[in-house]
């Protein structure tokens, strides 16, 4: 069921049920983060591997002190500046956070989502919300209540409808070490914005997965999505195939077009990406083509999602 009843969402969450919630990035699949049974059902419903931890969503930056054992000075400056907003911070967890939320890790990712309905919900309930994106594992993240309905509608009792999301892809996940900001996942807050606060580095991926959202195959469409240097050249080399294309700007092209922006506006491209991937998945093409995007600003997060959705990866 889809609706805008915050009290109903709160009541269901208190009973240990799951609720789809809007955020500024993508929709989340929320549960009472202090209720281990409710958290287990997130993993079950999404078919999510049990080693892939969940983000803890809190009502405001002050709440972080309850769930983090300690907060580096730079991390708390970043929180003051960017919360609520699409920045998630990895911190040592306090004993209040169940091991199921962090998949056994001593660290927890905290975030204050910037959406009026979900902020109201968070201030109404007595607990933080554990929430991954509200899609089945390895499918495209949802940017509207109806996307959540399509993927999980039969498995959850309620989806709080907050309209289409305004960022369109997930939050940036960072860890602060000393004066340095390590990026675990590019997202809604750009590296350029973070650089005003400290040196920004890429978190080296280790064998032990730091952020399994970084698993190479992720965000997949059902059809193959191919990242190709030159769409027109590729199509002319494969004349017997039917392609759809994701375009960053208007172009004359002999294929089913899904326009992410008229004029290469990166924020618009990011916001339309997942919705257009879904559209392309449903048209009558055999495969989806897209060219590499400029890796600046939020383009870096778009590039990351495209690489991990594409078949060569
Ligand atoms: O924008 C977002 O962050 C959305 C909305 C719903 O808030 N959430 C989201 O959650 O993208 P999810 O579960 O799809 O991705 C969270 C990523 C995963 O890659 C997970 O591995 C990583 O965060 N993560 C969560 N807790 C972690 C931890 N304790 N240590 C390392 N990585 C963690
Ligand atoms: Mg996800």
């Amino acid at each position: 069921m889809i609706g805008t009843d915050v009290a109903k969402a709160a009541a269901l969450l208190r009973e240990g049920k799951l609720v789809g919630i809007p955020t500024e990035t993508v929709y989340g699949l929320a549960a009472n983060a202090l209720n281990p049974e409710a958290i287990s059902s997130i993993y079950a419903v999404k078919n999510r591997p049990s080693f892939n931890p969940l983000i803890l969503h809190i009502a405001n930056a002050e709440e972080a002190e309850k769930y983090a054992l300690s907060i580096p000075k730079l991390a708390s400056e970043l929180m003051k500046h960017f919360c609520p907003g699409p920045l998630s911070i990895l911190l040592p967890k306090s004993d209040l956070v169940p091991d199921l939320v962090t998949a056994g890790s001593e660290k927890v990712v905290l975030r204050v989502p910037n959406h009026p309905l979900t902020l109201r919900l968070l201030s109404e309930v007595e607990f933080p919300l554990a929430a991954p994106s509200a899609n089945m594992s390895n499918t495209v993240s949802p940017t509207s209540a109806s996307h959540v309905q399509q993927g999980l509608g039969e498995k959850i009792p309620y989806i709080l409808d907050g309209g289409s999301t305004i960022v369109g892809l997930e939050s940036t996940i960072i860890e602060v070490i000393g004066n340095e900001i390590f990026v675990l996942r590019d997202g809604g807050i750009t590296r350029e914005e973070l650089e005003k606060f400290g040196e920004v580095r890429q978190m080296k991926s280790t064998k032990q997965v730091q952020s399994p959202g970084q698993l190479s195959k992720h965000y997949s469409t059902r059809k193959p999505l191919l990242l190709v240097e030159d769409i027109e050249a590729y199509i002319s080399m494969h004349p017997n195939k039917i392609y759809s294309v994701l375009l960053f700007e208007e172009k004359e092209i002999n294929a089913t077009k899904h326009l992410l922006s008229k004029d290469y506006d990166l924020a618009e491209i990011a916001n339309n990406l997942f919705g257009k991937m879904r559209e392309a998945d449903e048209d009558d093409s055999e495969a989806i083509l897209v060219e590499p995007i400029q890796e600046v600003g939020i383009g870096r997060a778009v590039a990351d999602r495209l690489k991990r959705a594409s078949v060569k990866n």
Side-chain angles (χ1 to χ4, degrees), residues 216-236:
S216 64
K217 188 69 182 156
H218 208 75
Y219 307 102
S220 309
T221 45
R222 290 188 303 267
K223 294 176 191 172
L225 184 145
L226 307 170
L227 251 181
V228 300
E229 281 303 318
D230 183 335
I231 286 178
E232 280 136 315
Y234 193 89
I235 291 177
S236 64

Side-chain angles (χ1 to χ4, degrees), residues 25 48 52-53 57 107 111 132-133 170-171 173 185 210 212-213:
T25 58
R48 184 180 179 98
N52 193 358
H57 294 69
K107 294 177 184 173
R111 136 164 166 81
S133 51
E170 295 85 348
S171 61
I173 304 178
R185 176 178 75 184
Q210 287 282 358

Side-chain angles (χ1 to χ4, degrees), residues 4 25 38 42 75 79 111 124 130 133 149 206 230 238 285 305:
T4 56
T25 58
I42 291 182
M79 262 194 263
R111 136 164 166 81
E124 189 157 325
S133 51
Q149 176 75 26
T206 51
D230 183 335
H238 301 84
S285 65
R305 304 304 187 271

